[in-house]
Amino acid sequence: MEKNIARLLEQARLHIQHGHIDGAIDVLRDILSNDPDFADAHAYLAICLLKKRRGHAAAQEARIALTLEPESALALYALALSQFAQRQFREAESHILRLLDLDPNDPSYYLLLVDLYNATAQKKKVLPLLQKALALAPENPDTLSKLSDYYLAVNDLGRAQHHAREALQMDPEHADALVSMGQVLLQKGDVANAREHAIWALRREPGNSSALYLLTAIKARANPFLGLWWRYNTWINRIGMTRSILVLLAAFIIYRVASMAFTDMGRKDMATIVNLCWMGIVIYSFVGPAIFEKALKKELADVKLTKNF
């Protein structure tokens, strides 16, 4: 029986690794029907439920796993993942740091901490963690993909493409690496190849949110209405929060100076045009993200309805 359960657990792990989440869930439920107190099965089930966007159920399974086996690194990892997904960042960070105390040589813990620091705008902490993970596992496509994302965020397209290419050499079907390369290609204006990479990633993982976001970004860039907003939003994200605030402040000052100057010159018609242009920019800045989000939700809905991409 124990050998059979071990075989089934390995089968579930491979399903997860290859993005076959429904298959993994079926196997894990089969295991738990025979051994409901098997902590690792509960932990893997938590990870699967997270990929299905069932955060509360995932957290419950992770806590069951940790109750059954308090020293289980897998259970602790699953709990940290579920807390991160529910935006319980402090709790998640404390559990990741505990994992690193237990095993400082596991690159996956550093990568999870990278995701957390990216989500909480602590980007200065990211690169040292990625370098540590890379030193531990130089041929890990997960690390290389995240390095690509990091360099893309700081507008170093050369390094971003280099690391994405390395990741794909290690695993040509790695979904996150395909998305990373797609993002680089999109920034370079190679829309057709960027779209191909997004589709390849979705064939590997139909519910991959990053691939769906990339596909939506590609459509937005090609859209005459959303294209300007997409380019502006990409640039604003690249320069950072502080500089983006300064840009908006400078734009407002220029608008006010121009409006008052035309009014003082007796050119009320030009002042009206300036005011209308500014109002249009403000409305566009609010409408653009809403339309993009609606398009993203549509992509998510379409993929949920399709079992085979």
Side-chain angles (χ1 to χ4, degrees):
M1 178 65 75
E2 287 184 5
K3 287 184 179 180
N4 185 47
I5 287 178
R7 181 182 59 79
L8 288 172
L9 191 67
E10 178 62 16
Q11 183 181 340
R13 192 189 66 77
L14 289 173
H15 275 313
I16 295 170
Q17 183 180 333
H18 290 93
H20 305 149
I21 305 305
D22 289 335
I25 290 174
D26 289 341
V27 174
L28 291 166
R29 285 177 174 162
D30 187 23
I31 293 172
L32 290 170
S33 67
N34 290 297
D35 186 357
D37 294 332
F38 190 17
D40 283 1
H42 283 287
Y44 277 124
L45 183 56
I47 293 170
C48 289
L49 291 171
L50 278 174
K51 291 182 179 291
K52 301 289 286 185
R53 299 183 182 86
R54 295 176 58 189
H56 292 291
Q60 184 178 355
E61 289 295 331
R63 289 191 180 93
I64 291 171
L66 203 59
T67 300
L68 291 168
E69 200 170 325
E71 298 302 317
S72 168
L74 179 60
L76 196 59
Y77 181 76
L79 182 58
L81 277 175
S82 63
Q83 289 171 331
F84 181 25
Q86 295 180 79
R87 304 186 68 80
Q88 298 171 0
F89 296 130
R90 287 187 179 179
E91 294 86 347
E93 183 180 17
S94 68
H95 285 116
I96 299 169
L97 293 175
R98 184 180 162 196
L99 281 167
L100 286 169
D101 285 337
L102 291 172
D103 185 2
N105 295 318
D106 190 326
S108 65
Y109 303 155
Y110 293 96
L111 297 183
L112 182 53
L113 200 55
V114 163
D115 290 340
L116 189 144
Y117 288 150
N118 276 326
T120 54
Q122 301 181 66
K123 298 189 183 298
K124 290 183 179 179
K125 298 180 179 180
V126 167
L127 186 56
L129 293 170
L130 287 172
Q131 290 170 336
K132 178 66 176 176
L134 187 64
L136 290 169
E139 297 184 352
N140 185 346
D142 292 336
T143 305
L144 293 166
S145 173
K146 290 185 188 298
L147 270 167
S148 175
D149 294 340
Y150 171 81
Y151 284 114
L152 181 65
V154 298
N155 200 30
D156 189 339
L157 294 182
R159 287 189 182 182
Q161 188 167 18
H162 170 74
H163 288 301
R165 187 181 292 115
E166 279 190 323
L168 290 172
Q169 286 172 350
M170 304 300 168
D171 182 356
E173 295 185 351
H174 192 278
D176 289 340
L178 286 166
V179 172
S180 297
M181 181 62 83
Q183 293 282 11
V184 172
L185 293 170
L186 183 59
Q187 292 295 327
K188 288 189 160 189
D190 190 349
V191 178
N193 278 324
R195 186 176 184 277
E196 283 188 15
H197 280 77
I199 291 172
W200 291 340
L202 286 169
R203 282 174 178 160
R204 175 67 183 268
E205 292 184 16
N208 187 299
S209 57
S210 296
L212 291 166
Y213 184 93
L214 172 59
L215 196 58
T216 308
I218 291 166
K219 291 183 177 181
R221 190 185 189 281
N223 185 295
F225 180 76
L226 279 178
L228 282 175
W229 171 82
W230 179 84
R231 289 174 175 84
Y232 169 76
N233 187 63
T234 301
W235 177 67
I236 284 292
N237 287 333
R238 191 178 296 155
I239 66 175
M241 180 65 72
T242 303
R243 289 182 179 178
S244 64
I245 291 171
L246 292 174
V247 167
L248 292 173
L249 183 60
F252 179 76
I253 291 171
I254 292 170
Y255 146 69
R256 288 300 298 158
V257 168
S259 178
M260 289 187 291
F262 282 123
T263 301
D264 291 343
M265 292 166 57
R267 297 294 305 274
K268 290 186 178 180
D269 55 337
M270 292 301 297
T272 300
I273 290 172
V274 169
N275 290 332
L276 288 174
C277 287
W278 177 256
M279 188 178 297
I281 290 170
V282 171
I283 293 171
Y284 183 74
S285 67
F286 279 99
V287 171
I291 295 174
F292 184 85
E293 185 177 352
K294 184 178 179 181
L296 179 59
K297 286 180 179 178
K298 184 177 183 300
E299 295 294 339
L300 285 166
D302 289 345
V303 170
K304 284 179 182 176
L305 291 172
T306 306
K307 290 186 178 180
N308 296 313
F309 190 87

